[in-house]
Amino acid sequence: MQRRHFITTATASLAASTASLRAEAPRTRVAVIGHTGRGNYGHGLDTMWLKVPETEIVAVADADAVGLAAELKKLKVEKGYADYRTMLAEVRPEIVAIGPRHVDQHHMMVLAAIAAGARGIYMEKPFCRSLVEADELVAICEAKGVRLSVAHRNRFHPVVPVIQKLIADGLIGRVLEMRARGKEDTRGGSLDLWVLGSHLFNLACMFGGQPAACSALVAQDGHSLTKADIREGDEGIGLLAGDEVHARFEMANRMPLFFDSVKEAGSKTAGFGLQIIGTEGIIDFRIDKEPVAHLLAGSPFNPAKPEHIWVPITTAGVGKPEPIAKLGEELSSHVVAARDLLAAISDGREPLCGVQEARTTIEMISAIFESQRLNGQRVTLPLKTRVNPLSLF
């Protein structure tokens, strides 16, 4: 999408007011799927629609009876279902919100939403468990014209195209590489890669283009990963192993992207984010923070540099106040993403974080395990192996 169109769309979404809505226009009907105790409703994928007056929540499904009762009260909705399939078949909503963080439920929930005639889907990340599942969902979304958007909230930030232009204009000189790290808490390593690395990969592709190849090392307890280390992972991810991940991607524009995550190596004040490093400066993204990006001007390789001052980057430019009111709030509550999905449905275009981009994040995660399976060999993307590589050890 062109920078001007992106900013116009994002700004219009944030500035939308009651006056811009036709009172007589019917609101878009949304059904919410959650699962209390198994991923719940993600990071607010239920309550987000209460902040979007163009929509109305018409039903909620939750297999946990206590959780369902609490959700109906919270959302002030009358129709509740224990089985999301029954809800979708009876209600036939225009948009389905898939909230559970546990990934093993995503594939079937998307298929059920499409079978019920949904025009749009907004879902929690990670997208799904394997490239087999991702390939099927891409194919059916494209065949049916369904607009699927994944909740990588930073991808919807209107500062992204601003920074793309600043880089193109030479703000940080020649771009040399990108570096990303997970939160590196108790989930550090492979779980961090799945749950939080997907955010970083999605953002990195906006600056490096599509991934072309990957080489990686995955370790467990200080040794290179073996079959004996593989187990069922948390959050419904499937087979998982590794408390340490080190990966290098070759992106389409030949820029290298490095990703690292080591269990319990991080802190609350650093780590989780993406840095774009150039000969004349560094642009740093702190995920889900506001402002989301900062600039450190000057050569990053000069230890004698007298001062290191990180300057915020906003949609107005470097060091300028953010002109869009409540930007952080509307990004964190998914309002910007919701309005982008509504516009995508109306305009017949892909959402800013659509199904193809969602598959790319799964491809990058899978490539790391495939490289490890092949003893660190460089693997090209798209991968030939479409199943979870850990199942082939």
Side-chain angles (χ1 to χ4, degrees):
M1 175 173 291
Q2 295 297 314
R3 172 178 175 267
R4 181 179 297 174
H5 177 67
F6 184 108
I7 295 176
T8 300
T9 301
T11 305
S13 296
L14 292 170
S17 65
T18 305
S20 69
L21 302 174
R22 293 184 179 179
E24 69 276 10
R27 292 187 291 172
T28 301
R29 300 166 65 254
V30 178
V32 174
I33 303 175
H35 194 158
T36 301
R38 292 208 68 239
N40 303 319
Y41 293 82
H43 295 85
L45 269 67
D46 51 349
T47 55
M48 60 183 282
W49 308 101
L50 299 176
K51 301 176 178 69
V52 184
E54 303 97 310
T55 68
E56 63 172 331
I57 304 171
V58 294
V60 181
D62 190 331
D64 182 272
V66 175
L68 177 59
E71 192 69 13
L72 290 171
K73 183 177 180 180
K74 178 169 65 174
L75 299 181
K76 297 180 175 60
V77 175
E78 295 182 358
K79 289 186 178 180
Y81 296 80
D83 189 324
Y84 67 85
R85 299 172 187 83
T86 303
M87 175 187 72
L88 294 172
E90 292 186 6
V91 176
R92 302 189 73 81
E94 295 166 274
I95 290 178
V96 177
I98 298 176
R101 292 192 308 275
H102 286 212
V103 193
D104 56 332
Q105 303 171 92
H106 289 182
H107 177 252
M108 293 307 297
M109 287 177 175
V110 172
L111 291 178
I114 294 173
R119 300 172 62 202
I121 297 169
Y122 189 67
M123 63 184 296
E124 185 59 275
K125 52 75 192 171
F127 179 36
C128 53
R129 295 174 296 179
S130 71
L131 287 170
V132 171
E133 292 183 349
D135 289 341
E136 181 180 6
L137 297 183
V138 168
I140 193 169
C141 282
E142 292 183 344
K144 300 289 187 180
V146 176
R147 309 303 170 188
L148 185 149
S149 181
V150 179
H152 292 297
R153 291 179 295 195
N154 298 274
R155 173 65 185 87
F156 300 94
H157 202 303
V159 81
V160 170
V162 173
I163 293 174
Q164 287 176 318
K165 185 176 187 305
L166 289 172
I167 291 174
D169 290 344
L171 178 66
I172 57 173
R174 178 180 176 180
V175 178
L176 302 175
E177 63 186 48
M178 294 186 290
R179 291 191 171 271
R181 302 195 77 92
K183 284 191 174 179
E184 300 185 286
D185 50 20
T186 57
R187 299 168 294 181
S190 294
L191 185 57
D192 198 10
L193 164 66
W194 267 101
V195 176
L196 299 167
S198 58
H199 279 305
L200 301 169
F201 293 158
N202 180 257
L203 187 60
C205 288
M206 295 300 100
F207 301 96
Q210 290 297 295
C214 173
S215 55
L217 166 69
V218 183
Q220 181 70 51
D221 300 323
H223 64 263
S224 186
L225 199 66
T226 67
K227 184 175 181 178
D229 299 313
I230 299 171
R231 57 178 176 77
E232 281 293 319
D234 295 335
E235 300 195 24
I237 287 170
L239 295 178
L240 194 66
D243 57 12
E244 186 173 345
V245 173
H246 304 283
R248 180 185 188 276
F249 290 93
E250 300 167 29
M251 308 303 281
N253 64 2
R254 303 185 64 81
M255 185 194 305
L257 164 66
F258 299 90
F259 173 83
D260 298 275
S261 177
V262 178
K263 184 177 181 178
E264 296 181 327
S267 73
K268 292 182 178 180
T269 58
F272 185 37
L274 173 73
Q275 289 193 336
I276 305 173
I277 302 171
T279 56
E280 299 298 331
I282 300 173
I283 294 176
D284 179 275
F285 289 88
R286 293 296 95 189
I287 303 302
D288 292 336
K289 302 293 185 181
E290 192 58 40
V292 71
H294 290 77
L295 168 70
L296 178 63
S299 171
F301 309 111
N302 181 7
K305 187 177 179 181
E307 56 186 18
H308 286 73
I309 300 175
W310 289 95
V311 180
I313 305 176
T314 69
T315 59
V318 179
K320 297 180 180 179
E322 177 55 60
I324 303 176
K326 299 182 179 180
L327 176 58
E329 177 185 333
E330 299 219 332
L331 282 162
S332 64
S333 62
H334 306 273
V335 170
V336 179
R339 291 205 168 115
D340 175 69
L341 178 57
L342 290 169
I345 294 170
S346 175
D347 298 343
R349 63 165 175 84
E350 281 300 297
L352 291 177
C353 189
V355 68
Q356 289 279 3
E357 292 190 4
R359 176 168 62 180
T360 296
T361 64
I362 305 304
E363 191 113 38
M364 295 176 77
I365 292 168
S366 298
I368 290 173
F369 293 111
E370 179 70 349
S371 176
Q372 173 62 32
R373 183 179 76 86
L374 300 175
N375 299 311
Q377 178 179 316
R378 176 181 179 272
V379 296
T380 58
L381 288 78
L383 294 174
K384 294 180 180 178
T385 298
R386 309 306 282 180
V387 298
N388 183 339
L390 294 178
S391 67
L392 302 177
F393 265 68

